Amino acid sequence: MLWTAIVVTVLTVVFVLSIPFLLTLIPIPSLEFDLSPYLKGKTAELITCKKATANVKIERDRAEGFRIHAKGKLLDWPYSASANVRFGFIRADGKLTLTLDETDWKAYVDFGARSARNWHFTANVPETHVTQDNAILASILTKAMPPAISNLVFSGKFKLDAGGDCTPKRPVPAWTVRGTLADIDVNLEVGGKPARIDGLKVRFGADGIADHRDIAPLFPRADAVEFAGFTLSNVFASVRATERSYLITEAGADCCGGALKLYSLFLDPKSLNLGATIFIDGVDAGEVLSCISAFHGNASGRLHGKLPFFLKDGKMIRFKDSHLFSTPGETGTIRIVDAQPILNNLALAGVPEAERENLSKVLADLDYNVLKVELKRGKDGEDSSLGLKIEGSATRGNTTVPVNLDVTFHGDLDQLINTGMKLRRKTR
């Protein structure tokens, strides 16, 4: 019995000591893991293959260490990986490098484990240049792109950091992810109309513990955004995710020397329907009036007002009834070099020719204390209307006369407003 116990003990010790050598000699079959339980909803629709495969080769590195090589597919994309792993009596730790083939994307991971309930890891993807030609993004965008969006071209930088652990005192996994998009320039067409984003930057992230997760607030910034013929500069937003939608608590941009703001906008990513009101503060009267097709001249002063709009199915932007008015108590100037469109409209209203001639002289040099622009969208196929109201005085030589002009233009919205207007970019 004694000799039997000694022999068994010796054989056990020899076997344990020989494990590191045996691992390098025993062929490892191809491995396959089903990841479908972790892919749900929209994410699952973007992935064709919902498995991970690995062909593994193990080499002896140094005392207590191994070098492990693996190649296979992670979901739809081929990868290569290498790791240096050290084993102890009841522990394992090491470093892993993962490369997604045909891309510049690499991930670096440090990990350690003592048991199934005592482990930790950190991971990072260094700053990487990305474009629409990236193999991973190209395959995702092909399936995720809404039909209204076409001719997408973009470039920028991407960075990601992640970490997680599980401890005996807290025996459930906890994790955190933080990422950055920077210097993103995008050109695309939305509903057949060109749009672009310049200099977009945003930090994003999420935290989780067990089955619970929280998405970090988003604070995107962009140097310029152009859509539907409008260009905004120094664009910002504050976004928070809810269970089914995104809440934009505040957003704004510089425009015509003033500012645009909107608040409490809910965006449902499924329907892409939304409506909100843009509040306009201190925009330059000259730049606003230059957007009116019937106005040919220049002006000074500041305007305030609001611009309601709605987006339907992510394809069509429409403006509702809107208005702008001058700052009460302040004056401005208007110099109209070609008053013919205004005079023609007054002629249709029955204003005598003599009065129209006098008005053309008055509009050439006018000081106003009331300036109001009012847009009313036509309903059921009717034409839209654009009202222009001016109250003030005009001086010619030693003569000063009061001016009270109230004229309304009718027609299609694109005829009334130059929708290709450019809004001035401010520098900070």
Side-chain angles (χ1 to χ4, degrees):
M1 292 291 294
L2 178 60
W3 281 107
T4 300
I6 293 174
V7 171
V8 171
T9 302
V10 171
L11 291 176
T12 301
V13 171
V14 170
F15 175 75
V16 171
L17 293 176
S18 65
I19 287 177
F21 303 97
L22 295 175
L23 287 175
T24 62
L25 299 176
I26 299 174
I28 300 176
S30 296
L31 304 177
E32 184 175 287
F33 305 93
D34 182 12
L35 301 180
S36 56
Y38 308 101
L39 302 172
K40 300 178 181 179
K42 291 292 184 180
T43 303
E45 297 176 4
L46 301 177
I47 306 299
T48 301
C49 176
K50 297 176 175 58
K51 297 179 180 180
T53 63
N55 294 308
V56 180
K57 179 181 179 182
I58 301 177
E59 298 175 348
R60 186 70 176 163
D61 189 10
R62 53 183 179 272
E64 298 183 353
F66 297 89
R67 182 178 294 275
I68 303 174
H69 302 276
K71 291 184 70 69
K73 288 191 68 176
L74 180 60
L75 302 176
D76 289 335
W77 307 287
Y79 73 90
S80 302
S82 63
N84 294 99
V85 184
R86 298 180 302 276
F87 291 98
F89 183 64
I90 55 170
R91 67 174 179 82
D93 56 77
K95 298 179 181 294
L96 168 70
T97 301
L98 174 68
T99 302
L100 295 176
D101 298 344
E102 302 177 3
T103 75
D104 296 329
W105 288 18
K106 290 186 176 182
Y108 300 92
V109 183
D110 289 347
F111 61 89
R114 300 295 181 270
S115 69
R117 293 191 176 186
N118 187 3
W119 51 264
H120 68 274
F121 78 92
T122 60
N124 76 91
V125 177
E127 187 173 80
T128 305
H129 185 258
V130 295
T131 70
Q132 75 285 346
D133 296 325
N134 178 278
I136 297 174
L137 295 179
S139 64
I140 293 176
L141 291 174
T142 300
K143 301 172 184 176
M145 191 85 70
I149 296 179
S150 60
N151 298 329
L152 175 64
V153 178
F154 66 88
S155 65
K157 299 175 182 176
F158 170 79
K159 185 176 184 294
L160 187 71
D161 293 289
D165 61 15
C166 182
T167 66
K169 292 183 178 180
R170 192 203 60 238
V172 293
W175 52 270
T176 181
V177 176
R178 293 291 182 271
T180 303
L181 293 173
D183 301 329
I184 304 294
D185 296 326
V186 182
N187 286 276
L188 70 159
E189 290 186 1
V190 181
K193 295 184 178 181
R196 68 180 178 89
I197 302 174
D198 292 341
L200 172 67
K201 45 189 172 292
V202 60
R203 295 179 181 273
F204 59 91
D207 301 281
I209 182 169
D211 295 330
H212 176 78
R213 69 174 183 177
D214 294 307
I215 299 176
L218 302 175
F219 302 98
R221 300 287 186 272
D223 295 334
V225 175
E226 181 177 343
F227 65 98
F230 295 88
T231 302
L232 309 176
S233 60
N234 296 326
V235 182
F236 72 91
S238 175
V239 185
R240 282 165 171 75
T242 65
E243 292 183 359
R244 297 184 179 180
S245 63
Y246 291 94
L247 169 63
I248 301 176
T249 57
E250 181 182 6
D254 293 337
C255 159
C256 292
L260 306 180
K261 292 285 186 68
L262 64 82
Y263 306 91
S264 299
L265 185 153
F266 279 93
L267 172 61
D268 185 343
K270 292 185 178 180
S271 65
L272 289 180
N273 290 330
L274 62 88
T277 297
I278 299 175
F279 296 92
I280 304 169
D281 184 33
V283 296
D284 183 83
E287 294 193 45
V288 172
L289 291 177
S290 68
C291 301
I292 300 177
S293 300
F295 183 85
H296 304 287
N298 55 73
S300 66
R302 297 287 172 181
L303 298 178
H304 313 266
K306 61 181 182 179
L307 179 64
F309 74 96
F310 66 90
L311 175 68
K312 184 177 181 181
D313 299 329
K315 301 177 181 179
M316 184 182 301
I317 295 178
R318 287 194 174 274
F319 296 105
K320 299 182 180 180
D321 295 353
S322 312
H323 67 267
L324 291 170
F325 56 88
S326 57
T327 305
E330 294 186 7
T331 60
T333 62
I334 293 179
R335 306 289 185 263
I336 298 180
V337 297
D338 179 12
Q340 198 59 47
I342 296 177
L343 300 180
N344 291 342
N345 194 278
L346 294 175
L348 294 175
V351 177
E353 182 178 356
E355 293 184 21
R356 299 200 307 271
E357 290 180 356
N358 289 331
L359 184 60
S360 66
K361 299 175 183 179
V362 167
L363 294 177
D365 189 358
L366 172 67
D367 295 326
Y368 70 83
N369 49 50
V370 174
L371 173 60
K372 185 175 182 179
V373 180
E374 187 171 16
L375 172 67
K376 292 185 178 180
R377 174 171 285 280
K379 298 179 180 179
D380 299 327
E382 297 178 353
D383 285 341
S384 299
S385 65
L386 182 68
L388 178 62
K389 181 178 180 61
I390 302 173
E391 293 182 7
S393 62
T395 301
R396 191 176 183 87
N398 295 324
T399 304
T400 299
V401 296
V403 177
N404 191 334
L405 176 66
D406 195 346
V407 60
T408 301
F409 302 93
H410 295 271
D412 183 78
L413 182 63
D414 289 335
Q415 295 175 341
L416 298 174
I417 300 177
N418 298 320
T419 56
M421 70 178 181
K422 303 298 179 182
L423 307 183
R424 185 175 69 186
R425 175 181 295 186
K426 283 186 176 182
T427 57
R428 292 187 175 182

